[in-house]
PDB file of all heavy atoms in Angstrom:
ATOM      1  N   ALA A  10      22.052  19.676 -12.842  1.00  0.00           N
ATOM      2  CA  ALA A  10      21.999  18.281 -12.183  1.00  0.00           C
ATOM      3  C   ALA A  10      20.587  18.044 -11.546  1.00  0.00           C
ATOM      4  O   ALA A  10      20.059  16.930 -11.732  1.00  0.00           O
ATOM      5  CB  ALA A  10      23.165  18.141 -11.150  1.00  0.00           C
ATOM      6  N   ARG A  11      20.023  19.130 -11.106  1.00  0.00           N
ATOM      7  CA  ARG A  11      18.641  19.019 -10.499  1.00  0.00           C
ATOM      8  C   ARG A  11      17.586  18.479 -11.604  1.00  0.00           C
ATOM      9  O   ARG A  11      16.835  17.736 -11.416  1.00  0.00           O
ATOM     10  CB  ARG A  11      18.271  20.258  -9.827  1.00  0.00           C
ATOM     11  CG  ARG A  11      16.872  20.233  -9.273  1.00  0.00           C
ATOM     12  CD  ARG A  11      16.246  21.490  -8.652  1.00  0.00           C
ATOM     13  NE  ARG A  11      16.498  22.577  -9.564  1.00  0.00           N
ATOM     14  CZ  ARG A  11      15.630  22.937 -10.530  1.00  0.00           C
ATOM     15  NH1 ARG A  11      14.541  22.176 -10.760  1.00  0.00           N
ATOM     16  NH2 ARG A  11      15.774  24.019 -11.281  1.00  0.00           N
ATOM     17  N   LYS A  12      17.750  19.314 -12.709  1.00  0.00           N
ATOM     18  CA  LYS A  12      16.910  19.154 -13.790  1.00  0.00           C
ATOM     19  C   LYS A  12      17.065  17.705 -14.431  1.00  0.00           C
ATOM     20  O   LYS A  12      15.955  16.940 -14.812  1.00  0.00           O
ATOM     21  CB  LYS A  12      17.035  20.144 -15.001  1.00  0.00           C
ATOM     22  CG  LYS A  12      16.392  21.525 -14.362  1.00  0.00           C
ATOM     23  CD  LYS A  12      16.438  22.457 -15.593  1.00  0.00           C
ATOM     24  CE  LYS A  12      15.657  23.663 -15.181  1.00  0.00           C
ATOM     25  NZ  LYS A  12      15.468  24.552 -16.308  1.00  0.00           N
ATOM     26  N   LYS A  13      18.273  17.298 -14.585  1.00  0.00           N
ATOM     27  CA  LYS A  13      18.674  15.833 -14.974  1.00  0.00           C
ATOM     28  C   LYS A  13      18.110  14.913 -14.162  1.00  0.00           C
ATOM     29  O   LYS A  13      17.624  13.778 -14.602  1.00  0.00           O
ATOM     30  CB  LYS A  13      20.143  15.751 -15.125  1.00  0.00           C
ATOM     31  CG  LYS A  13      20.548  14.530 -15.792  1.00  0.00           C
ATOM     32  CD  LYS A  13      22.060  14.446 -16.045  1.00  0.00           C
ATOM     33  CE  LYS A  13      22.517  13.146 -16.696  1.00  0.00           C
ATOM     34  NZ  LYS A  13      23.933  12.939 -16.665  1.00  0.00           N
ATOM     35  N   ALA A  14      18.122  15.253 -12.832  1.00  0.00           N
ATOM     36  CA  ALA A  14      17.419  14.166 -11.872  1.00  0.00           C
ATOM     37  C   ALA A  14      15.958  14.231 -11.801  1.00  0.00           C
ATOM     38  O   ALA A  14      15.235  13.353 -11.193  1.00  0.00           O
ATOM     39  CB  ALA A  14      18.025  14.459 -10.453  1.00  0.00           C
ATOM     40  N   GLY A  15      15.289  15.113 -12.556  1.00  0.00           N
ATOM     41  CA  GLY A  15      13.863  15.250 -12.681  1.00  0.00           C
ATOM     42  C   GLY A  15      13.247  15.825 -11.412  1.00  0.00           C
ATOM     43  O   GLY A  15      12.088  15.544 -11.183  1.00  0.00           O
ATOM     44  N   LEU A  16      14.060  16.640 -10.649  1.00  0.00           N
ATOM     45  CA  LEU A  16      13.461  17.202  -9.479  1.00  0.00           C
ATOM     46  C   LEU A  16      13.136  18.735  -9.648  1.00  0.00           C
ATOM     47  O   LEU A  16      13.759  19.385 -10.318  1.00  0.00           O
ATOM     48  CB  LEU A  16      14.464  17.050  -8.466  1.00  0.00           C
ATOM     49  CG  LEU A  16      14.822  15.714  -7.830  1.00  0.00           C
ATOM     50  CD1 LEU A  16      16.035  15.794  -6.895  1.00  0.00           C
ATOM     51  CD2 LEU A  16      13.666  14.995  -7.285  1.00  0.00           C
ATOM     52  N   THR A  17      12.133  19.216  -8.977  1.00  0.00           N
ATOM     53  CA  THR A  17      11.858  20.607  -8.935  1.00  0.00           C
ATOM     54  C   THR A  17      12.651  21.143  -7.780  1.00  0.00           C
ATOM     55  O   THR A  17      13.180  20.470  -7.030  1.00  0.00           O
ATOM     56  CB  THR A  17      10.347  20.759  -8.517  1.00  0.00           C
ATOM     57  OG1 THR A  17      10.010  20.295  -7.187  1.00  0.00           O
ATOM     58  CG2 THR A  17       9.372  20.193  -9.561  1.00  0.00           C
ATOM     59  N   GLN A  18      12.780  22.484  -7.705  1.00  0.00           N
ATOM     60  CA  GLN A  18      13.548  23.111  -6.730  1.00  0.00           C
ATOM     61  C   GLN A  18      12.875  22.771  -5.271  1.00  0.00           C
ATOM     62  O   GLN A  18      13.585  22.503  -4.445  1.00  0.00           O
ATOM     63  CB  GLN A  18      13.511  24.735  -6.972  1.00  0.00           C
ATOM     64  CG  GLN A  18      14.569  25.264  -7.925  1.00  0.00           C
ATOM     65  CD  GLN A  18      14.518  26.676  -8.043  1.00  0.00           C
ATOM     66  OE1 GLN A  18      13.535  27.406  -7.547  1.00  0.00           O
ATOM     67  NE2 GLN A  18      15.654  27.223  -8.513  1.00  0.00           N
ATOM     68  N   ALA A  19      11.516  22.834  -5.281  1.00  0.00           N
ATOM     69  CA  ALA A  19      10.917  22.466  -4.059  1.00  0.00           C
ATOM     70  C   ALA A  19      11.234  21.106  -3.525  1.00  0.00           C
ATOM     71  O   ALA A  19      11.459  20.762  -2.397  1.00  0.00           O
ATOM     72  CB  ALA A  19       9.304  22.616  -4.243  1.00  0.00           C
ATOM     73  N   LYS A  20      11.179  19.995  -4.467  1.00  0.00           N
ATOM     74  CA  LYS A  20      11.584  18.692  -3.982  1.00  0.00           C
ATOM     75  C   LYS A  20      12.915  18.494  -3.577  1.00  0.00           C
ATOM     76  O   LYS A  20      13.230  17.825  -2.679  1.00  0.00           O
ATOM     77  CB  LYS A  20      11.279  17.832  -5.210  1.00  0.00           C
ATOM     78  CG  LYS A  20       9.810  17.393  -5.435  1.00  0.00           C
ATOM     79  CD  LYS A  20       9.302  16.585  -4.315  1.00  0.00           C
ATOM     80  CE  LYS A  20       7.847  16.243  -4.769  1.00  0.00           C
ATOM     81  NZ  LYS A  20       7.181  15.512  -3.549  1.00  0.00           N
ATOM     82  N   LEU A  21      13.925  19.171  -4.320  1.00  0.00           N
ATOM     83  CA  LEU A  21      15.349  18.990  -3.869  1.00  0.00           C
ATOM     84  C   LEU A  21      15.487  19.782  -2.585  1.00  0.00           C
ATOM     85  O   LEU A  21      16.172  19.298  -1.639  1.00  0.00           O
ATOM     86  CB  LEU A  21      16.209  19.623  -4.961  1.00  0.00           C
ATOM     87  CG  LEU A  21      17.732  19.483  -4.625  1.00  0.00           C
ATOM     88  CD1 LEU A  21      18.146  18.182  -4.260  1.00  0.00           C
ATOM     89  CD2 LEU A  21      18.541  20.133  -5.737  1.00  0.00           C
ATOM     90  N   ALA A  22      14.923  21.050  -2.375  1.00  0.00           N
ATOM     91  CA  ALA A  22      15.005  21.759  -1.228  1.00  0.00           C
ATOM     92  C   ALA A  22      14.424  20.803  -0.013  1.00  0.00           C
ATOM     93  O   ALA A  22      15.050  20.829   1.148  1.00  0.00           O
ATOM     94  CB  ALA A  22      14.215  22.983  -1.251  1.00  0.00           C
ATOM     95  N   GLU A  23      13.332  20.225  -0.278  1.00  0.00           N
ATOM     96  CA  GLU A  23      12.741  19.353   0.828  1.00  0.00           C
ATOM     97  C   GLU A  23      13.786  18.180   1.233  1.00  0.00           C
ATOM     98  O   GLU A  23      14.059  17.923   2.328  1.00  0.00           O
ATOM     99  CB  GLU A  23      11.479  18.617   0.199  1.00  0.00           C
ATOM    100  CG  GLU A  23      10.704  17.751   1.301  1.00  0.00           C
ATOM    101  CD  GLU A  23       9.431  17.232   0.707  1.00  0.00           C
ATOM    102  OE1 GLU A  23       8.738  17.995  -0.086  1.00  0.00           O
ATOM    103  OE2 GLU A  23       9.210  16.009   0.805  1.00  0.00           O
ATOM    104  N   LYS A  24      14.461  17.596   0.144  1.00  0.00           N
ATOM    105  CA  LYS A  24      15.452  16.523   0.527  1.00  0.00           C
ATOM    106  C   LYS A  24      16.573  17.090   1.216  1.00  0.00           C
ATOM    107  O   LYS A  24      17.252  16.469   2.033  1.00  0.00           O
ATOM    108  CB  LYS A  24      16.056  15.941  -0.865  1.00  0.00           C
ATOM    109  CG  LYS A  24      15.141  14.996  -1.545  1.00  0.00           C
ATOM    110  CD  LYS A  24      15.825  14.445  -2.799  1.00  0.00           C
ATOM    111  CE  LYS A  24      15.209  13.262  -3.233  1.00  0.00           C
ATOM    112  NZ  LYS A  24      16.138  12.300  -3.891  1.00  0.00           N
ATOM    113  N   LEU A  25      16.942  18.398   1.052  1.00  0.00           N
ATOM    114  CA  LEU A  25      18.061  18.981   1.715  1.00  0.00           C
ATOM    115  C   LEU A  25      17.634  19.699   3.059  1.00  0.00           C
ATOM    116  O   LEU A  25      18.429  20.217   3.729  1.00  0.00           O
ATOM    117  CB  LEU A  25      18.634  20.141   0.723  1.00  0.00           C
ATOM    118  CG  LEU A  25      19.244  19.646  -0.599  1.00  0.00           C
ATOM    119  CD1 LEU A  25      19.487  20.822  -1.498  1.00  0.00           C
ATOM    120  CD2 LEU A  25      20.392  18.701  -0.363  1.00  0.00           C
ATOM    121  N   ASN A  26      16.381  19.680   3.373  1.00  0.00           N
ATOM    122  CA  ASN A  26      15.867  20.183   4.549  1.00  0.00           C
ATOM    123  C   ASN A  26      16.055  21.801   4.555  1.00  0.00           C
ATOM    124  O   ASN A  26      16.671  22.327   5.580  1.00  0.00           O
ATOM    125  CB  ASN A  26      16.391  19.620   5.823  1.00  0.00           C
ATOM    126  CG  ASN A  26      15.586  19.851   7.085  1.00  0.00           C
ATOM    127  OD1 ASN A  26      14.415  20.149   7.004  1.00  0.00           O
ATOM    128  ND2 ASN A  26      16.157  19.923   8.320  1.00  0.00           N
ATOM    129  N   THR A  27      15.884  22.411   3.455  1.00  0.00           N
ATOM    130  CA  THR A  27      16.093  23.833   3.327  1.00  0.00           C
ATOM    131  C   THR A  27      14.904  24.387   2.564  1.00  0.00           C
ATOM    132  O   THR A  27      13.925  23.634   2.213  1.00  0.00           O
ATOM    133  CB  THR A  27      17.374  24.090   2.567  1.00  0.00           C
ATOM    134  OG1 THR A  27      17.653  25.556   2.719  1.00  0.00           O
ATOM    135  CG2 THR A  27      17.402  23.752   1.129  1.00  0.00           C
ATOM    136  N   THR A  28      14.882  25.681   2.286  1.00  0.00           N
ATOM    137  CA  THR A  28      13.735  26.381   1.484  1.00  0.00           C
ATOM    138  C   THR A  28      13.977  26.290   0.066  1.00  0.00           C
ATOM    139  O   THR A  28      15.099  26.400  -0.460  1.00  0.00           O
ATOM    140  CB  THR A  28      13.515  27.749   2.030  1.00  0.00           C
ATOM    141  OG1 THR A  28      14.549  28.474   1.800  1.00  0.00           O
ATOM    142  CG2 THR A  28      13.193  27.777   3.573  1.00  0.00           C
ATOM    143  N   GLN A  29      12.882  26.361  -0.661  1.00  0.00           N
ATOM    144  CA  GLN A  29      13.049  26.419  -2.071  1.00  0.00           C
ATOM    145  C   GLN A  29      13.783  27.764  -2.517  1.00  0.00           C
ATOM    146  O   GLN A  29      14.502  27.862  -3.379  1.00  0.00           O
ATOM    147  CB  GLN A  29      11.680  26.403  -2.723  1.00  0.00           C
ATOM    148  CG  GLN A  29      11.589  26.561  -4.289  1.00  0.00           C
ATOM    149  CD  GLN A  29      11.523  27.959  -4.725  1.00  0.00           C
ATOM    150  OE1 GLN A  29      10.905  28.780  -4.195  1.00  0.00           O
ATOM    151  NE2 GLN A  29      12.112  28.232  -5.967  1.00  0.00           N
ATOM    152  N   GLN A  30      13.582  28.937  -1.740  1.00  0.00           N
ATOM    153  CA  GLN A  30      14.076  30.236  -1.984  1.00  0.00           C
ATOM    154  C   GLN A  30      15.704  30.111  -1.824  1.00  0.00           C
ATOM    155  O   GLN A  30      16.318  30.621  -2.638  1.00  0.00           O
ATOM    156  CB  GLN A  30      13.489  31.206  -0.933  1.00  0.00           C
ATOM    157  CG  GLN A  30      12.104  31.580  -1.311  1.00  0.00           C
ATOM    158  CD  GLN A  30      11.058  30.587  -0.633  1.00  0.00           C
ATOM    159  OE1 GLN A  30      11.363  29.679   0.186  1.00  0.00           O
ATOM    160  NE2 GLN A  30       9.796  30.867  -0.855  1.00  0.00           N
ATOM    161  N   ASN A  31      16.029  29.359  -0.785  1.00  0.00           N
ATOM    162  CA  ASN A  31      17.467  29.239  -0.419  1.00  0.00           C
ATOM    163  C   ASN A  31      18.034  28.444  -1.695  1.00  0.00           C
ATOM    164  O   ASN A  31      19.217  28.904  -2.152  1.00  0.00           O
ATOM    165  CB  ASN A  31      17.567  28.410   0.765  1.00  0.00           C
ATOM    166  CG  ASN A  31      19.067  28.524   1.274  1.00  0.00           C
ATOM    167  OD1 ASN A  31      19.797  29.595   1.059  1.00  0.00           O
ATOM    168  ND2 ASN A  31      19.571  27.550   1.876  1.00  0.00           N
ATOM    169  N   LEU A  32      17.457  27.376  -2.165  1.00  0.00           N
ATOM    170  CA  LEU A  32      18.051  26.626  -3.369  1.00  0.00           C
ATOM    171  C   LEU A  32      18.068  27.556  -4.544  1.00  0.00           C
ATOM    172  O   LEU A  32      19.029  27.544  -5.340  1.00  0.00           O
ATOM    173  CB  LEU A  32      17.160  25.340  -3.569  1.00  0.00           C
ATOM    174  CG  LEU A  32      17.729  24.471  -4.657  1.00  0.00           C
ATOM    175  CD1 LEU A  32      19.068  23.971  -4.366  1.00  0.00           C
ATOM    176  CD2 LEU A  32      16.783  23.320  -4.811  1.00  0.00           C
TER     177      LEU A  32
END
Side-chain angles (χ1 to χ4, degrees):
R11 175 183 59 78
K12 287 184 172 190
K13 187 175 178 185
L16 295 173
T17 62
Q18 283 183 342
K20 283 290 183 189
L21 180 55
E23 186 179 313
K24 284 183 159 206
L25 299 171
N26 198 27
T27 191
T28 64
Q29 181 271 329
Q30 291 84 0
N31 195 31
L32 183 60

